[in-house]
Amino acid sequence: DGMNVLFIVVDDLRPVLGCYGDKLVKSPNIDQLASRSIVFSNAYAQQALCAPSRVSFLTGRRPDTTRLYDFYSYWRVHAGNYSTMPQYFKENGYITLSVGKVFHPGVSSNYSDDYPYSWSIPPFHPSTEKYENDKTCRGKDGKLHANLVCPVDVTEMPRGTLPDIQSTEEAIRLLNIMKTDKQKFFLAVGYHKPHVPLRYPQEFLKLYPLENITLAPDPWVPKKLPSVAYNPWTDIRQREDVEALNVSFPYGPLPDDFQRQIRQSYYAAVSYLDVQVGLLLNALDNVGLSNNTIVVFTADHGWSLGEHGEWAKYSNFDVATRVPLMFYVPGVTTSSVNRGARVFPYLDPFSHIVDSVPQGQSKKVVELVSLFPTLAELTGLQVPPACPQTSFHVALCTEGRSIVRYFNASEEKVQREGVGCDDTDRCFNEEPVALSQYPRPADTPQWNSDKPKLKDIRIMGYSMRSSDYRYTLWVQFNPSNFSANFEDVHAGELYVMETDPNQDYNIYNNTSHGWFFKKILG
């Protein structure tokens, strides 16, 4: 009870981490955190787009309740004056601090990252953030370009640094202040990478020789994929190196060698991120706060690395919606830590031999909308009540459920073994599911299919992930009153995880799926 919270959220990070079984990646610091945490292997975001996902998990409400599916509205004005997770901690005696990209900046957080509601002091943004999409990538011609694949010499960058390096430095500075200030804190640190462009210190390329990089296991567009479900990755097409390839819209594949370069750079960006996380956690040790600070590590959504012929988020597939999620809770996920003991010594990815294995791993399907009630319960605060069916006028409630009950992995095993299930309907109702959604402007890929503005949304894809299935319905949607019409189904998808873990073979049209339909409506 009464512990501090360090909340680390990463942009566009799918679970390509050693602790999630990835054999190629070098992520020793995040793996070390995982080895002292409960790790959720089936955690899902509510929408695979930055602003809607972040507003959803920071308010504990789903996108249909925040009414944010794009970047252009502020929920307090547009939907309801909902309390946020940091606001709740602030109102319960915590100093709340935001560093880097926590809320999505801009209209969707009132141009202030929801300050002063959510934060005790104005949020920190790295001064070099504004150069993210500038021409800073040196091409083979020696000139600077705005490329997707962008290894750089940091000393040549504007101000001689990068945004995530600045965010780590600021977060460490704040931890040093918190060490002397005896007040409890909720410190949120948002990292940009591996969000595009894939701009990172060039030395990280050495960790991933190109000959070790494979293509996605399914780099083709699945035959039975409804065209509404496909996203044409328009944001990367605008980068100079991709534009030069002149790839046909919407389905033209990228050349194999360039696919490998993207995958190589994504991995390099993950190792660069791992270093930042390692420095931050090492600082938590240095200030003597590892024994009374809960650490949460997650991402706002994933990113497709060529699976289904896609290079982006913007979909309901696992590659876009599945995220890493782990909780380090001193005395719960590890035995109690003596004050001053090293819990998170910094590990250099260039020399560290991989050996960390997660302590507790839960296969339960969980959702990011559950972060708010979970952190409230872990810190001994009153858990916000469950929202009623319609909650636009309720300031404090949550549409997620605390997942603390899954923290004891051995108990979970006993529960699972103790349930004998013959009745599919009953079993399915007991099984937790994760709901995600994605809007589209039309049934076929358009220039704005990836990020339609609210007024242009005509179809909403609602997707339900259980441990065994992913079921998605694309239904008619009216943006003027935010209503979905489940009697007007444009397309459907159904994937069986046991035989089709990559979600390539859509069996929606040759299967009866009445009980899925009932469950998604529920």
Side-chain angles (χ1 to χ4, degrees), residues 61-69 75-83 387-397 399 481-482:
R61 321 271 185 135
R62 300 184 186 281
D64 278 349
T65 307
T66 65
R67 294 185 160 173
L68 180 71
Y69 315 103
W75 77 92
R76 292 187 191 273
V77 172
H78 185 76
N81 190 19
Y82 312 142
S83 295
C387 290
Q389 191 77 40
T390 307
S391 62
F392 296 109
H393 304 296
V394 183
L396 180 66
C397 68
E399 294 179 317
N481 62 4
F482 303 91

Side-chain angles (χ1 to χ4, degrees), residues 195-208:
H195 192 288
V196 298
L198 298 168
R199 187 168 72 121
Y200 54 86
Q202 60 200 15
E203 57 268 25
F204 287 93
L205 271 179
K206 292 185 204 131
L207 295 171
Y208 303 101

